Amino acid sequence: MLDSHFRKEEFKKSVKENVKMLYRKTLDEASQEQIFQAVSLAVKDVVIDNWLLTQKQYEKDDPKIVYYLSMEFLMGRALGNNLINLCAYKEVKEALDELGLDLNTIEDQEPDPALGNGGLGRLAACFLDSLATLGYCAYGCGIRYHYGLFKQKIENGYQVEVPDNWLKDGYPFELRRPEYAKEVKFGGYVRVEYDPATGRNNFIQEGYQSVRAVPYDMPIVGYNNKIVNTLRIWDAEAMNEFQLDLFDKGDYRKAVEAENLAKNICDVLYPNDNHYAGKELRLKQQYFFISASIQAAIAKFKKKHSDIHDLPKKVTFQLNDTHPTMTVAELMRILLDEEKLEWDDAWDITTHTCAYTNHTIMAEALEKWPIELFSKLLPRVYQIIEEINRRFIEEINQKYPGNQEKVRKMAIIYDGQVKMAHLAIAGGYSVNGVARLHTEILKKQELKDFYEMYPEKFNNKTNGITQRRFMVHANPLLTDWITDHIGDKWITDLPQLAKLKVYADDKKAQQEFMNIKYQNKVRLAKYILEHNGIEVDPNSIFDVQVKRLHEYKRQLMNILHVMYLYNQIKEHPERDFYPRTFIFGAKATAGYRRAKLTIKLINSVADVINNDASINGKLKVVFIENYRVSNAEIIFAAADVSEQISTASKEASGTGNMKFMLNGALTVGTMDGANVEIVEEVGEENAFIFGLSSDEVINYENNGGYDPMQYFNNDPDIRNVLMQLINGTYSNGDFEMFREIYDSLLNTNCSDRADTYFILADFKSYADAQRRVEEAYRDEAGWAKKALLNTACSGKFSSDRTIQQYVDEIWHLDKVTIED
Ligand code: B1N
């Protein structure tokens, strides 16, 4: 479909006009950044027409709406993606060519909107793409952080964090909507007032500070269907009108405080992944965007509907992890205090409107807010949670009379803390995990008591990714090849890729497939040379681990294995060794010392190995600086081997694993998260599985008996590698630099059990899996077949499938089509 607005000549004219209007320049005078703005404006123009059409259709059809509430939306760049979904990419590229402009260079001017940390935020972005593409009425609700996730620089091998001022030149794909601003109240106290008219108590928050929440809307373009949904991110502004009375009363200090509160709230995204830090400002962020979003949703509902009891029929709130769990209490507050419903009525509505997704079982990620902090900041909301808790405990006592143990484990408020997961489970109608194994672990271990109490709430929704960004945009060569072979239906129906299976043994297809992989490796090699100054050989195996840096993801095991290979090559220079390039990309949370030291170790090992002429370039190690959505697209397309090596049971799902598979990389992985389902789809013979099972890991954790020192004592290869951490091999003779890492693996005196993530237990079976990789790669046809089958079998892992399951089994939304 070529939209009339994208007739080439018209588009070219529009770009020239925009440059003139915005900057009083001609095309050849304008900078690339200015041209990016001008092109984006031309694209936005078309998007806005469809945005209006979509609103009109929704207005007419009145479909049920899902609000996807998330602290993170890791959107990545919009320009190229919008062009893809408008089916105008090629036309626009040509038009720009004719103007002497290069679309790739223009796309590179866009800041990467990084309003998320990793998988959780990127999942939210993929879901919005699928919701729009499938034609469902959905709003993403989040925060307009002024600074996204930090940019990473590597200096002397260490990570340095640089602020990400993504809004500094203005972001062309957002629209400020001051007419939808909402007031959000913090602090003060609750006055209880008997109302003789109703015979009820009124609860009135007083002495509070207000912040004005102003929404900015970003268009979410569906693929080839004219639907444009909305990501609404809230910014905080001082609430001048409301604060005036504080001035009148001479309470200048309060007025200034309120102004400061507004200034800080949206400053910056907390850079933690799978970790809870318990900061007051984070709690403010949570309530800020939830209160604004829920108020706006209720206001919208009431425009069309007179009976608030119908809310669950028309609205559902999906909580992306516990971060938006405030929704339960805020909705109760509105229903009780503003809609004047009775408790039971309000609770019935709330528990049929909210649904919760769990994304992790890592204990350190569990949100538990101290009640002093909570009740001071949100006195009325806290009061409501106390009442929810009181009634919940009653329910537990009814079901398990006299069982104090159950109350202790399940209460929402206990030990001076508010437990957000418990609130999310009690206050919603659905609890889902993000991969089959993860959901089973939730039911059998982490949330066992809740599963026993509410088995009907629990369900699984295995994650997915959008092929529009991670294939059509990221890998244009393979996109065209696939479409040449099976048509283009797969772009909105990924299981169609199975039709490629008939080419798995076809010599010509194999060669073409691997030739595209080669060209993508050349593209990545060029990127690496430009950005890292390291030359890599596209004929070597590209073995890639890109994801947040976390101990449970075991980047350390990967680099220890590289050290082991290097030792082998040095000891046996005569042996045949297939050249391999180990590629890493990872940001570490600024305060996570051990993770940052792992980055230093990777870079130190890279320095030694890459500069050792004696190994003839057989091994290369590259740490790609500032891993983010935009370079991820280039990296996935170029990978031969996908490293998915988390300690079994720790990675809830993973989604990078799916992006690699889609692009024809083979998985080296543990039976963890969605890897289990990946192997199920592609067949064990087309992946390299190793390591302890989740049951074995959980058994060690519950019953003890793991002793990493045994491996150190009995295995000289492991011992050699570990000794090299403390004998200066990779630290210019400094014995202390990597001591902490060495200790973490062996020293029981450290805070945790030594080797918390079973690296030594899995090391040899990992090395063996890697030997199988090398052997398999030597068989060119064999490898091509496996790679092709990975792509062909990846159909399940589209977020379109995931979203359809959410719709069918949780949300029950109505499908919308644009008639025009
Ligand atoms: O969510 C992804 C999964 O694919 C990953 O396996 C999982 O690790 C990730 C607190 C998190 N779980 N929890 C977080 C992020 C930020 C934060 O402040 C926790 N991220 C995940 C999508 O399901």
Side-chain angles (χ1 to χ4, degrees):
M1 176 197 74
L2 177 58
D3 205 287
S4 62
H5 293 78
F6 280 116
R7 296 235 163 76
K8 259 202 255 162
E9 291 313 311
E10 244 174 273
F11 187 80
K12 281 153 71 176
K13 211 172 111 201
S14 154
V15 171
K16 284 190 228 165
E17 288 286 311
N18 289 344
V19 169
K20 190 169 101 188
M21 210 179 59
L22 288 169
Y23 305 106
R24 309 205 150 269
K25 284 186 178 171
T26 61
L27 270 188
D28 28 284
E29 292 165 343
S31 69
Q32 292 294 319
E33 202 278 322
Q34 291 172 328
I35 290 169
F36 158 70
Q37 294 283 350
V39 170
S40 297
L41 211 61
V43 173
K44 190 177 170 184
D45 205 46
V46 182
V47 169
I48 286 182
D49 287 341
N50 290 345
W51 217 350
L52 291 170
L53 273 181
T54 304
Q55 283 317 307
K56 246 173 74 188
Q57 196 69 48
Y58 287 165
E59 208 43 51
K60 184 162 166 240
D61 294 5
D62 188 30
K64 185 173 179 184
I65 306 175
V66 63
Y67 291 90
Y68 198 80
L69 304 167
S70 179
M71 292 284 279
E72 305 192 12
F73 287 92
L74 189 44
M75 299 303 291
R77 288 173 177 158
L79 175 58
N81 199 249
N82 286 342
L83 288 173
I84 296 282
N85 282 8
L86 292 165
C87 295
Y89 195 91
K90 280 181 183 163
E91 287 78 2
V92 165
K93 192 174 173 56
E94 272 172 37
L96 292 172
D97 270 347
E98 289 169 21
L99 293 171
L101 299 170
D102 174 43
L103 178 52
N104 271 324
T105 313
I106 294 169
E107 284 185 58
D108 272 337
Q109 305 305 310
E110 182 176 346
D112 218 312
L115 310 184
N117 277 287
L120 172 140
R122 183 55 230 176
L123 185 75
C126 285
F127 280 4
L128 295 185
D129 181 85
S130 287
L131 280 160
T133 296
L134 293 174
Y136 294 112
C137 184
Y139 286 80
C141 302
I143 296 174
R144 184 173 181 263
Y145 301 108
H146 302 174
Y147 290 85
L149 184 61
F150 63 84
K151 290 184 183 164
Q152 180 192 57
K153 287 241 147 55
I154 300 297
E155 284 176 13
N156 185 31
Y158 288 102
Q159 166 177 296
V160 176
E161 300 89 21
V162 179
D164 167 44
N165 189 0
W166 70 292
L167 292 167
K168 79 172 173 317
D169 299 319
Y171 190 66
F173 294 101
E174 65 172 8
L175 201 63
R176 187 170 188 263
R177 309 301 295 276
E179 65 273 32
Y180 296 113
K182 295 279 176 267
E183 181 183 8
V184 178
K185 299 174 182 176
F186 291 97
Y189 52 91
V190 180
R191 186 164 59 79
V192 185
E193 176 190 82
Y194 180 73
D195 181 351
T198 60
R200 292 177 23 151
N201 282 330
N202 288 329
F203 297 86
I204 303 151
Q205 194 175 350
E206 289 182 342
Y208 54 83
Q209 294 169 0
S210 286
V211 173
R212 195 162 100 106
V214 181
Y216 287 69
D217 287 352
M218 294 218 244
I220 307 296
V221 178
Y223 184 83
N224 195 16
N225 64 359
K226 300 209 170 187
I227 286 192
V228 179
N229 280 341
T230 303
L231 168 59
R232 174 161 283 187
I233 51 180
W234 297 90
D235 206 344
E237 295 181 8
M239 189 108 202
N240 292 325
E241 316 93 89
F242 286 81
Q243 295 305 319
L244 268 183
D245 63 322
L246 295 176
F247 277 103
D248 289 346
K249 289 178 199 147
D251 201 343
Y252 180 70
R253 187 184 56 84
K254 264 230 167 94
V256 171
E257 271 174 18
E259 181 135 354
N260 283 337
L261 179 63
K263 274 210 188 89
N264 293 333
I265 287 181
C266 298
D267 269 355
V268 63
L269 165 75
Y270 275 96
N272 296 319
D273 194 83
N274 264 291
H275 181 78
Y276 161 74
K279 293 282 189 284
E280 180 177 16
L281 182 58
R282 168 87 169 186
L283 191 65
K284 286 180 187 165
Q285 290 182 337
Q286 294 185 350
Y287 185 66
F288 168 75
F289 96 101
I290 290 305
S291 178
S293 302
I294 306 306
Q295 287 184 57
I298 298 294
K300 188 177 171 70
F301 171 84
K302 287 177 71 174
K303 269 191 171 174
K304 269 206 139 55
H305 306 274
S306 51
D307 188 355
I308 193 76
H309 293 90
D310 289 338
L311 191 73
K313 287 189 205 144
K314 285 292 170 187
V315 169
T316 199
F317 295 123
Q318 188 66 37
L319 315 184
N320 198 23
D321 215 286
T322 54
H323 322 145
T325 297
M326 226 52 110
T327 302
V328 171
E330 177 67 359
L331 181 55
M332 284 298 285
R333 185 190 67 76
I334 292 173
L335 296 175
L336 295 168
D337 297 357
E338 289 170 22
E339 301 300 321
K340 306 289 179 198
L341 295 187
E342 298 294 331
W343 182 278
D344 288 339
D345 248 11
W347 186 243
D348 190 59
I349 293 171
T350 300
T351 52
H352 287 89
T353 307
C354 299
Y356 156 60
T357 304
N358 176 290
H359 292 268
T360 183
I361 60 162
M362 298 294 291
E364 70 223 57
L366 284 182
E367 286 194 296
K368 296 178 263 181
W369 294 101
I371 54 180
E372 314 86 76
L373 184 70
F374 205 114
S375 57
K376 242 190 218 146
L377 188 69
L378 306 166
R380 178 59 182 144
V381 167
Y382 180 72
Q383 216 172 39
I384 290 170
I385 295 176
E386 271 190 329
E387 180 62 11
I388 295 173
N389 182 52
R390 192 186 66 75
R391 289 167 182 250
F392 183 56
I393 290 175
E394 232 171 56
E395 198 182 326
I396 298 171
N397 282 330
Q398 243 158 55
K399 185 141 191 185
Y400 307 101
N403 190 340
Q404 271 313 106
E405 180 68 0
K406 287 276 180 198
V407 174
R408 185 183 66 75
K409 287 195 290 186
M410 297 175 77
I412 295 164
I413 302 174
Y414 203 86
D415 250 0
Q417 293 172 319
V418 184
K419 301 186 176 176
M420 299 306 265
H422 299 189
L423 179 58
I425 298 168
Y429 64 96
S430 166
V431 178
N432 79 278
V434 290
R436 194 207 300 139
L437 175 68
H438 169 62
T439 301
E440 288 307 309
I441 293 173
L442 289 179
K443 294 198 288 192
K444 291 202 192 102
Q445 309 266 335
E446 308 303 311
L447 301 177
K448 184 162 176 281
D449 297 307
F450 291 92
Y451 177 58
E452 261 175 44
M453 189 144 160
Y454 306 118
E456 71 289 349
K457 288 190 188 183
F458 283 73
N459 64 95
N460 175 247
K461 295 289 167 285
T462 298
N463 283 166
I465 57 163
T466 169
Q467 65 266 36
R468 268 81 60 188
R469 180 178 292 271
F470 292 104
M471 179 63 86
V472 183
H473 187 256
N475 198 342
L477 296 175
L478 193 52
T479 295
D480 286 346
W481 185 85
I482 294 170
T483 297
D484 284 347
H485 285 78
I486 62 168
D488 64 3
K489 294 279 194 299
W490 60 275
I491 297 176
T492 51
D493 182 14
L494 202 63
Q496 298 250 347
L497 290 182
K499 292 184 181 159
L500 290 172
K501 284 184 195 170
V502 297
Y503 296 102
D505 286 305
D506 180 316
K507 286 283 159 285
K508 180 160 166 280
Q510 288 179 353
Q511 270 167 16
E512 288 168 354
F513 193 90
M514 291 315 288
N515 183 259
I516 287 166
K517 181 61 80 181
Y518 180 79
Q519 292 182 58
N520 286 325
K521 287 164 79 172
V522 170
R523 179 174 69 161
L524 178 59
K526 187 162 163 268
Y527 178 93
I528 290 173
L529 186 62
E530 275 167 19
H531 294 83
N532 297 69
I534 299 174
E535 229 172 294
V536 299
D537 177 6
N539 287 305
S540 64
I541 303 172
F542 278 17
D543 182 313
V544 188
Q545 187 174 20
V546 286
K547 49 181 81 245
R548 280 297 285 253
L549 213 137
H550 202 295
E551 286 167 277
Y552 84 78
K553 296 176 189 282
R554 300 198 294 192
Q555 283 95 351
L556 177 57
M557 184 168 74
N558 187 343
I559 198 66
L560 291 174
H561 174 254
V562 172
M563 290 160 62
Y564 159 77
L565 285 181
Y566 181 54
N567 292 341
Q568 294 284 303
I569 294 171
K570 300 282 274 186
E571 268 174 49
H572 307 285
E574 75 291 348
R575 275 193 204 160
D576 227 9
F577 180 88
Y578 203 100
R580 211 183 297 201
T581 304
F582 287 94
I583 297 169
F584 293 83
K587 289 179 183 177
T589 300
Y592 192 170
R593 209 186 48 238
R594 206 172 280 172
K596 293 178 95 171
L597 189 58
T598 305
I599 292 177
K600 172 64 176 172
L601 176 63
I602 294 168
N603 282 309
S604 303
V605 171
D607 262 354
V608 170
I609 292 180
N610 298 344
N611 292 309
D612 182 344
S614 78
I615 60 166
N616 291 322
K618 282 180 190 163
L619 251 191
K620 280 270 166 76
V621 180
V622 179
F623 188 96
I624 295 180
E625 192 176 77
N626 201 27
Y627 174 60
R628 61 195 187 282
V629 176
S630 57
N631 61 17
E633 293 181 28
I634 299 170
I635 296 167
F636 290 125
D640 295 306
V641 176
S642 160
E643 297 267 358
Q644 309 301 335
I645 59 179
S646 54
T647 310
S649 79
K650 302 298 177 195
E651 191 70 273
S653 163
T655 44
N657 47 3
M658 303 168 185
K659 296 163 196 171
F660 280 109
M661 181 195 196
L662 175 65
N663 282 278
L666 276 62
T667 303
V668 170
T670 48
M671 278 298 203
D672 198 17
N675 297 352
V676 176
E677 291 160 77
I678 285 178
V679 175
E680 185 173 291
E681 293 298 305
V682 77
E684 193 145 3
E685 69 283 8
N686 298 309
F688 304 91
I689 299 305
F690 71 94
L692 295 174
S693 69
S694 58
D695 284 338
E696 288 168 324
V697 168
I698 290 168
N699 187 39
Y700 271 136
E701 287 176 339
N702 292 341
N703 306 318
Y706 176 56
D707 177 17
M709 193 52 93
Q710 255 180 6
Y711 296 93
F712 182 85
N713 289 332
N714 299 334
D715 188 321
D717 293 328
I718 289 180
R719 191 162 59 241
N720 278 341
V721 166
L722 293 199
M723 290 313 291
Q724 288 172 335
L725 291 171
I726 54 165
N727 70 9
T729 306
Y730 295 103
S731 49
N732 291 315
D734 179 347
F735 293 177
E736 297 310 311
M737 183 176 283
F738 300 118
R739 172 89 55 187
E740 177 181 353
I741 290 177
Y742 174 89
D743 280 342
S744 77
L745 294 169
L746 293 175
N747 195 340
T748 334
N749 298 327
C750 288
S751 51
D752 288 318
R753 166 172 53 71
D755 193 12
T756 317
Y757 296 103
F758 302 94
I759 288 176
L760 301 193
D762 278 352
F763 189 89
K764 272 298 157 104
S765 99
Y766 177 53
D768 182 62
Q770 288 289 23
R771 262 188 292 276
R772 287 183 273 138
V773 167
E774 178 172 339
E775 200 182 295
Y777 199 85
R778 286 177 192 281
D779 170 7
E780 263 181 56
W783 186 276
K785 177 178 177 179
K786 290 177 197 297
L788 204 155
L789 283 174
N790 267 274
T791 299
C793 296
S794 65
K796 174 176 175 183
F797 302 105
S798 171
S799 46
D800 299 343
R801 185 268 311 151
T802 312
I803 284 299
Q804 195 55 51
Q805 290 179 326
Y806 274 92
V807 168
D808 293 341
E809 296 162 24
I810 305 179
W811 302 333
H812 306 291
L813 307 178
D814 315 295
K815 208 168 185 104
V816 175
T817 46
I818 306 282
E819 331 152 341
D820 73 334

